Amino acid sequence: MKNPALACLLAFLAGPALSLQGADTQTPPSPERPNFLFIAVDDLNNYTSFLLEQDGHFLSKLYPDPEKRREMARRLTPNLDRLARESLVFDRAFCPQALCGPSRTALLTGIPPHISGYYNHSQHFRYNPVLQDVVTLPQYLKANGYQTIGLGKVFHKAGPEKKDDGRIHDWADEAWSWSTWIDRFIGMGGKAQREVSLSPYSPADGLFRFGNSTLPAESSWDYLNAEFAARLYSEGSADIFDRNGVYRHVELPGEQPFFLACGLFAPHLPWFPPQEFYDRFPVEEIQFDEELVTWLRADKEDLPKMALERFIGNDFDTLYAIGQSVDAGPHGLRAAVQAYL
């Protein structure tokens, strides 16, 4: 690589669908064509250090003391905070759907759910009649002379899946969007034995569970995937085994520009980080009282019935009830916040 320009793609928001017009001209790369490093973090919300002082921020209710909040911010996302100081930050960018797959599809196609009708991810977006021939961002760059490389959770799941109807759902959009796609496991699991223990406030089943893991963070799939992407970017080549145990050697192109995407699953639920991360956010510091519970119940009253049933369900009431049964008060909710952080 010769002096690669790095453009950190923070947002590609809903707009006109991309066009392949002129894509077959294969314009030669030039210094004006930057490389892109695309980092997708799942369900991050705005719980980052550099957004903590936004008006009405929920964490300001959990940490009402300004000094304690500043101290907590230093433990929360110091690397994202450093990146934000060097970047253009969009602090009024909102996800187009309260679900990961449709939000990522909207982000990477420029077509929001209210136009496409793609509100759920029960099937790959290519089976949606509006999106079946859409040109994604990496697909557009690939057609215009870029090498596109990806791994992790970028669109939705990391690999293909065959459903009962016999159709293959290419969740990563490997066939369309990528010059090189590396199918890897994602999340806080890893090759080592993964022992987890549930919090006493955690529901017994479903995705909305939390507790701690004995697996070191450095052995988790997310860490290893990010380490590979960092090594590939900084050194120009890197080696990795994919989900099927196949050895992959990947090199960045010489004079050709590239789009490198790394998707991290955490903090998508369930939440099973090692104990060291729980220790950063002592539960007794989180101010979750009955007054805040009342505020939260009132805040969701104006949501449509479909949104309440599909995206909130009984999780809030279940956690509150568990907290009441284990120890009087909303401690189940407080423990869940700690696990998410």
Side-chain angles (χ1 to χ4, degrees), residues 97 101-102 105 113 116-125 128 131 171:
Q97 170 66 343
T105 299
S116 67
Y118 190 67
Y119 284 101
N120 209 322
H121 48 211
S122 57
Q123 62 179 11
H124 184 242
F125 67 84
N128 176 286
L131 300 173
W171 294 115

Side-chain angles (χ1 to χ4, degrees), residues 130-262:
V130 177
L131 300 173
Q132 59 184 356
D133 295 318
V134 72
V135 179
T136 70
L137 174 61
Q139 181 184 357
Y140 178 81
L141 293 173
K142 176 184 172 184
N144 281 276
Y146 275 73
Q147 182 176 354
T148 56
I149 306 167
L151 80 165
K153 188 171 181 180
V154 179
F155 280 95
H156 182 38
K157 298 178 182 178
E161 179 183 17
K162 187 174 182 179
K163 294 273 190 163
D164 293 337
D165 59 9
R167 294 192 296 183
I168 299 296
H169 295 259
D170 179 10
W171 294 115
D173 205 44
E174 179 179 2
W176 298 77
S177 294
W178 306 102
S179 310
T180 301
W181 177 259
I182 304 156
D183 185 8
R184 291 271 295 175
F185 290 107
I186 54 178
M188 289 304 295
K191 293 181 68 175
Q193 180 66 32
R194 181 171 180 264
E195 297 178 2
V196 297
S197 59
L198 284 174
S199 161
Y201 303 102
S202 177
D205 54 14
L207 277 175
F208 198 47
R209 293 171 292 127
F210 51 94
N212 64 347
S213 169
T214 60
L215 181 72
E218 294 80 4
S219 299
S220 68
W221 298 116
D222 271 1
Y223 187 99
L224 295 171
N225 292 344
E227 183 183 51
F228 166 82
R231 192 168 65 252
L232 178 60
Y233 175 76
S234 61
E235 300 176 9
S237 66
D239 303 321
I240 197 169
F241 286 92
D242 67 16
R243 183 199 298 258
N244 299 310
V246 176
Y247 170 79
R248 303 288 297 274
H249 175 75
V250 183
E251 294 187 5
L252 293 179
E255 298 300 321
Q256 182 185 13
F258 63 84
F259 177 91
L260 172 59
C262 179

